[in-house]
Amino acid sequence: MSEAELLEKLRNIDPVALANLLNPNPGKLHELSVFVPKPTMQQKVRAAAWISGMGIHQAGVDTQARLMWPLTKFSELDVSREAARTLGGALVALVGALPPQQIEQIWIDQGERLSFVDEFASLDDKSRYQAE
Protein backbone atom coordinates (compact mmCIF):
# COMPACT_ATOMS: atom_id res chain seq x y z
CA MET A 1 0.00 0.00 0.00
CA SER A 2 1.41 3.36 -0.99
CA GLU A 3 1.64 6.32 1.36
CA ALA A 4 -1.06 8.15 -0.60
CA GLU A 5 -3.43 5.17 -0.29
CA LEU A 6 -2.75 4.94 3.44
CA LEU A 7 -3.40 8.67 3.90
CA GLU A 8 -6.67 8.37 1.97
CA LYS A 9 -7.79 5.48 4.20
CA LEU A 10 -6.90 7.49 7.32
CA ARG A 11 -8.91 10.49 6.07
CA ASN A 12 -11.98 8.28 5.66
CA ILE A 13 -11.78 6.47 9.01
CA ASP A 14 -14.83 6.64 11.25
CA PRO A 15 -14.08 8.94 14.23
CA VAL A 16 -15.62 6.49 16.70
CA ALA A 17 -13.51 3.65 15.31
CA LEU A 18 -10.43 5.87 15.56
CA ALA A 19 -11.23 6.73 19.17
CA ASN A 20 -11.56 3.02 19.93
CA LEU A 21 -8.20 2.34 18.29
CA LEU A 22 -6.53 5.11 20.28
CA ASN A 23 -8.23 4.09 23.52
CA PRO A 24 -8.82 0.33 23.32
CA ASN A 25 -9.59 0.16 27.04
CA PRO A 26 -13.31 0.93 27.39
CA GLY A 27 -12.95 1.36 31.14
CA LYS A 28 -14.77 -0.62 33.76
CA LEU A 29 -17.60 -2.81 32.51
CA HIS A 30 -20.87 -2.91 34.42
CA GLU A 31 -23.44 -5.67 34.27
CA LEU A 32 -26.44 -4.77 36.39
CA SER A 33 -28.15 -7.46 38.39
CA VAL A 34 -30.67 -5.19 40.08
CA PHE A 35 -33.86 -3.68 38.68
CA VAL A 36 -33.53 -0.07 37.56
CA PRO A 37 -36.86 1.73 37.09
CA LYS A 38 -37.38 3.67 33.88
CA PRO A 39 -35.97 7.17 34.46
CA THR A 40 -37.63 10.37 33.33
CA MET A 41 -35.92 12.53 30.71
CA GLN A 42 -35.08 15.01 33.47
CA GLN A 43 -33.31 12.25 35.44
CA LYS A 44 -31.38 11.17 32.33
CA VAL A 45 -30.27 14.74 31.58
CA ARG A 46 -29.32 15.29 35.22
CA ALA A 47 -27.24 12.08 35.17
CA ALA A 48 -25.59 13.14 31.88
CA ALA A 49 -24.73 16.55 33.32
CA TRP A 50 -23.23 15.01 36.46
CA ILE A 51 -21.16 12.50 34.48
CA SER A 52 -19.94 15.12 32.00
CA GLY A 53 -19.18 17.70 34.66
CA MET A 54 -17.66 15.54 37.36
CA GLY A 55 -16.19 12.72 35.30
CA ILE A 56 -17.11 9.09 34.91
CA HIS A 57 -15.13 8.05 38.00
CA GLN A 58 -17.15 10.37 40.25
CA ALA A 59 -20.47 8.91 39.08
CA GLY A 60 -21.91 5.93 40.89
CA VAL A 61 -23.24 2.91 39.07
CA ASP A 62 -26.80 4.02 39.87
CA THR A 63 -26.23 7.36 38.07
CA GLN A 64 -24.64 5.56 35.12
CA ALA A 65 -27.50 3.03 35.04
CA ARG A 66 -30.08 5.82 35.02
CA LEU A 67 -28.44 7.34 31.95
CA MET A 68 -27.95 4.02 30.16
CA TRP A 69 -31.44 2.62 30.85
CA PRO A 70 -32.71 0.17 29.46
CA LEU A 71 -29.22 -1.32 28.94
CA THR A 72 -27.97 -3.51 31.75
CA LYS A 73 -24.45 -4.07 30.38
CA PHE A 74 -22.23 -1.12 29.45
CA SER A 75 -18.70 0.23 29.75
CA GLU A 76 -17.50 3.52 31.18
CA LEU A 77 -16.65 4.62 27.64
CA ASP A 78 -20.26 3.88 26.60
CA VAL A 79 -21.50 5.99 29.51
CA SER A 80 -19.21 8.92 28.72
CA ARG A 81 -20.29 8.94 25.09
CA GLU A 82 -23.98 8.70 25.96
CA ALA A 83 -23.62 11.56 28.46
CA ALA A 84 -22.19 13.77 25.71
CA ARG A 85 -24.91 12.73 23.25
CA THR A 86 -27.71 13.28 25.76
CA LEU A 87 -26.48 16.70 26.84
CA GLY A 88 -25.80 17.74 23.26
CA GLY A 89 -29.28 16.72 22.16
CA ALA A 90 -30.94 18.49 25.08
CA LEU A 91 -28.96 21.69 24.54
CA VAL A 92 -29.62 21.74 20.80
CA ALA A 93 -33.35 21.39 21.49
CA LEU A 94 -33.26 24.19 24.08
CA VAL A 95 -31.30 26.55 21.84
CA GLY A 96 -33.69 25.80 18.99
CA ALA A 97 -36.56 27.00 21.15
CA LEU A 98 -34.93 30.37 21.91
CA PRO A 99 -35.92 33.53 20.06
CA PRO A 100 -33.35 34.66 17.44
CA GLN A 101 -32.30 37.76 19.41
CA GLN A 102 -31.44 35.62 22.44
CA ILE A 103 -29.35 33.24 20.29
CA GLU A 104 -27.55 36.26 18.82
CA GLN A 105 -26.82 37.54 22.34
CA ILE A 106 -25.28 34.17 23.28
CA TRP A 107 -22.95 34.45 20.27
CA ILE A 108 -22.05 38.06 21.16
CA ASP A 109 -21.33 37.12 24.79
CA GLN A 110 -19.16 34.19 23.74
CA GLY A 111 -17.28 36.35 21.25
CA GLU A 112 -16.55 38.91 23.95
CA ARG A 113 -15.30 36.23 26.36
CA LEU A 114 -13.06 34.66 23.73
CA SER A 115 -11.69 38.00 22.51
CA PHE A 116 -9.67 38.25 25.73
CA VAL A 117 -7.83 34.99 25.08
CA ASP A 118 -4.18 35.53 24.27
CA GLU A 119 -3.81 34.19 20.75
CA PHE A 120 -0.14 33.41 21.38
CA ALA A 121 -1.04 31.17 24.34
CA SER A 122 -3.26 29.05 22.12
CA LEU A 123 -0.39 28.04 19.82
CA ASP A 124 1.17 24.65 20.40
CA ASP A 125 4.84 24.55 21.43
CA LYS A 126 6.11 23.83 17.92
CA SER A 127 4.25 26.80 16.41
CA ARG A 128 5.34 29.03 19.30
CA TYR A 129 9.02 28.42 18.60
CA GLN A 130 8.48 29.11 14.90
CA ALA A 131 6.68 32.37 15.73
CA GLU A 132 9.55 33.67 17.90
Side-chain angles (χ1 to χ4, degrees):
M1 180 181 307
S2 72
E3 185 177 338
E5 291 171 326
L6 180 60
L7 286 173
E8 184 61 30
K9 284 186 182 275
L10 287 174
R11 274 189 215 104
N12 295 324
I13 195 166
D14 175 40
V16 173
L18 181 60
N20 287 336
L21 288 173
L22 296 175
N23 184 11
N25 180 4
K28 190 173 183 180
L29 296 173
H30 298 289
E31 188 161 2
L32 303 176
S33 58
V34 295
F35 172 75
V36 176
K38 180 180 180 180
T40 64
M41 180 53 71
Q42 183 179 7
Q43 289 172 322
K44 279 186 167 266
V45 170
R46 185 176 289 141
W50 177 266
I51 292 163
S52 293
M54 299 301 291
I56 188 68
H57 300 293
Q58 296 299 318
V61 176
D62 58 332
T63 302
Q64 295 177 40
R66 199 171 302 123
L67 176 65
M68 298 303 289
W69 189 93
L71 298 180
T72 58
K73 187 175 182 181
F74 48 84
S75 71
E76 289 179 338
L77 185 58
D78 296 332
V79 174
S80 294
R81 286 182 180 155
E82 187 57 31
R85 285 185 198 111
T86 300
L87 274 183
L91 291 172
V92 165
L94 289 172
V95 168
L98 292 174
Q101 64 272 19
Q102 202 166 1
I103 294 171
E104 184 63 28
Q105 188 60 51
I106 291 169
W107 282 111
I108 290 168
D109 293 347
Q110 184 192 33
E112 288 173 359
R113 278 192 312 274
L114 295 178
S115 69
F116 294 106
V117 174
D118 181 10
E119 186 176 316
F120 187 74
S122 67
L123 298 173
D124 62 19
D125 288 340
K126 188 176 182 182
S127 298
R128 183 176 298 146
Y129 294 123
Q130 291 172 351
E132 292 175 347

